[in-house]
Amino acid sequence: MNYKNIIKYLLCLLPWFISNIIFKVDTSYYKGLNLPFFAPPTILFPIIWTIIFILISISIYKNIDKSNNNYKIYLLINYLSNQLYTFCFFTIKNNFLAFIDCLIVLISSIYLYKETKSIDNNSSKYLILYLIWNIFATILSLTILIIN
C-alpha cells in the first residue's frame, strides 16, 4: 500500500470518529438509565464502534472511486445521522430523538448496504456487522425510550 492509498483510507476512516471528539460522551448518563437485561456494558461500545468504523471505511475505500450518486447520498445520510446520535443521546440526553436518529441510521445503513452490493458485492460484506449492530442498537434505543 503506498502513501496515497493510506491517506485515502484515513480520509475514509477518521471522519467517523468526529462526533466522539466534538460531543462529550457522558457514560454516566447511560449507566444512570433503566437499562434492559440485554444492554451491553459501557466498555463494549467503543470497541464495537471502532471495529465497525474500520469495516465501513474499508467498504468506502473500495467503492468511492466507482460509486454513483445514490451511493454518495446514502453514505452522506448514514454518516450524518450516525454522527448525530452522540449529540442526541449523550449531549442533549433526549431518548426520543436518539431513537428516531437510530432508526434513520438503520434505514440508511440498509440502503447503503444495498447500493454497495450493487457496486461491489464483496465490499458490501464489510457492512454486515454494521447492519446487525444497527438492528440491535435500534431495539436497545427503543427499549431505553420505553422503560425510561
Side-chain angles (χ1 to χ4, degrees):
M1 192 179 245
N2 65 34
Y3 287 112
K4 286 183 181 180
N5 288 339
I6 292 170
I7 291 170
K8 180 181 169 186
Y9 176 74
L10 289 175
L11 289 173
C12 294
L13 175 64
L14 295 178
W16 290 94
F17 294 96
I18 287 176
S19 69
N20 290 334
I21 295 167
I22 295 174
F23 306 119
K24 183 180 184 279
V25 176
D26 184 1
T27 57
S28 63
Y29 174 69
Y30 175 76
K31 292 175 185 176
L33 292 169
N34 293 322
L35 296 172
F37 70 92
F38 59 88
T42 309
I43 190 65
L44 194 57
F45 287 100
I47 296 167
I48 289 177
W49 277 113
T50 299
I51 293 167
I52 288 171
F53 290 160
I54 290 169
L55 293 173
I56 291 170
S57 300
I58 293 170
S59 178
I60 295 168
Y61 174 84
K62 291 177 170 281
N63 285 304
I64 199 69
D65 291 335
K66 53 188 173 182
S67 65
N68 56 35
N69 283 340
N70 282 345
Y71 175 85
K72 291 174 185 170
I73 290 168
Y74 298 144
L75 178 59
L76 180 63
I77 292 168
N78 183 263
Y79 170 76
L80 292 174
S81 58
N82 188 300
Q83 296 301 296
L84 188 59
Y85 182 83
T86 303
F87 175 75
C88 292
F89 188 79
F90 290 105
T91 303
I92 64 172
K93 298 173 175 65
N94 187 317
N95 294 336
F96 176 73
L97 286 179
F99 167 69
I100 297 301
D101 184 69
C102 200
L103 202 53
I104 294 168
V105 172
L106 173 61
I107 292 167
S108 64
S109 67
I110 292 168
Y111 279 97
L112 180 62
Y113 172 79
K114 287 182 174 185
E115 194 61 36
T116 302
K117 190 170 183 160
S118 74
I119 297 167
D120 180 5
N121 186 48
N122 287 332
S123 293
S124 68
K125 293 173 185 173
Y126 291 104
L127 300 175
I128 292 173
L129 178 61
Y130 187 41
L131 286 172
I132 293 167
W133 183 255
N134 283 330
I135 292 167
F136 174 77
T138 303
I139 293 167
L140 178 62
S141 185
L142 176 61
T143 307
I144 288 172
L145 175 63
I146 291 169
I147 65 176
N148 286 280

